[in-house]
Amino acid sequence: MDSITFIGTATTLIRLGSFTLLTDPNFLHRGQRAYLGKGLWSRRLTEPAMQPADLPQLDAIVLSHLHGDHFDRIARRELDRAVPLVTTEPAADRLAKYGFATRGLQVWESHELTQGTETLTVEALPGTHGRGIFGKLLPPVMGSLLVHRVDGEVRRRIYLTGDTLTGDHLDEIHDRHPHLDAAIVHLGGTKILFATVTMDAPKASTSSAESARNSPYRCTTTTTAS
């Protein structure tokens, strides 16, 4: 049975048919620091529902970008490095040095998994983590479209936003992929020096309402926070 299990922050366990995926693995405990680079850090506010030892066998890991609150030191130390890890090209290059089986994607590129008559495609979608100077300081981020097929027929389409702001890139995603079954939306509303670098709930609600007016777009949003 298809399911989405919320582990905490941006970390989810997604089951689609025969496939099991983990997204943005963050297993830090409440109160621990996540290091973001450039001297930046954040403190985890909640306890994760699982640790790596609690996970089922994984078919892939989907990572939106390489920040310490999306791929932490526990994930780096304890996750199975042979599991395909689909992410941005810069993140793939860096994590490959630790022995992970990375698949780096450019925007609109795809990676496909196969099990018997089933396939699961991970397509990299555009995202904007920051604007202006923060666009240069923060790492590239990708959203992802998961498409599960059985015997060539689409069963499920799920959009993972990654840490992104609103903008024209969301319109382009909507134009290319107007029919979705669900969306997992990162709604931390994170601010760095008073600048917002991820969507918050009001922004996401506005974007969802605009999409709903323009197409038969069915979307379930899941709020993720620190």
Side-chain angles (χ1 to χ4, degrees):
M1 178 181 295
D2 296 348
S3 65
I4 299 173
T5 301
F6 178 59
I7 296 176
T9 63
T11 310
T12 60
L13 189 68
I14 301 174
R15 292 181 172 91
L16 294 172
S18 299
F19 299 97
T20 302
L21 283 75
L22 180 70
T23 71
D24 291 301
N26 178 2
F27 299 103
L28 294 176
H29 295 285
R30 181 178 182 179
Q32 289 185 309
R33 288 187 179 187
Y35 296 100
L36 311 178
K38 305 293 192 299
L40 302 173
W41 58 271
S42 64
R43 190 182 300 278
R44 175 135 192 179
L45 302 178
T46 59
E47 187 70 17
M50 293 182 182
Q51 287 294 309
D54 303 319
L55 297 171
Q57 183 173 343
L58 300 174
D59 296 294
I61 300 166
V62 180
L63 175 63
S64 62
H65 66 299
L66 191 54
H67 255 167
D69 57 345
H70 287 255
F71 194 94
D72 62 29
R73 50 195 177 273
I74 298 175
R76 189 176 66 202
R77 183 175 64 244
E78 298 185 22
L79 289 178
D80 184 353
R81 301 185 183 194
V83 174
L85 196 162
V86 184
T87 186
T88 64
E89 288 187 327
D93 290 344
R94 184 170 175 185
L95 290 174
K97 297 177 182 177
Y98 291 97
F100 285 94
T102 58
R103 308 290 190 273
L105 300 180
Q106 297 183 15
V107 174
W108 309 121
E109 287 186 337
S110 298
H111 177 71
E112 186 172 271
L113 305 169
T114 302
Q115 290 195 31
T117 62
E118 297 181 55
T119 62
L120 183 66
T121 302
V122 182
E123 180 182 352
L125 305 179
T128 299
H129 203 347
R131 297 189 174 95
I133 189 172
F134 292 105
K136 298 178 180 179
L137 289 175
L138 297 173
V141 63
M142 73 178 199
S144 299
L145 178 67
L146 309 180
V147 181
H148 178 223
R149 295 180 174 87
V150 178
D151 292 322
E153 294 189 7
V154 174
R155 289 190 64 253
R156 198 81 68 192
R157 300 181 182 91
I158 297 179
Y159 171 37
L160 315 176
T161 66
D163 280 8
T164 189
L165 300 171
T166 57
D168 293 342
H169 61 288
L170 295 184
D171 294 331
E172 186 174 6
I173 293 170
H174 174 267
D175 291 342
R176 287 181 179 239
H177 301 294
H179 303 289
L180 301 176
D181 296 294
I184 298 175
V185 186
H186 296 192
L187 300 180
T190 306
K191 294 181 183 294
I192 299 177
L193 299 176
F194 306 105
T196 302
V197 294
T198 60
M199 275 191 288
D200 56 15
K203 287 288 187 183
S205 298
T206 299
S207 295
S208 297
E210 290 174 354
S211 295
R213 284 196 297 269
N214 293 327
S215 75
Y217 176 46
R218 298 185 295 121
C219 176
T220 301
T221 59
T222 300
T223 302
T224 63
S226 297

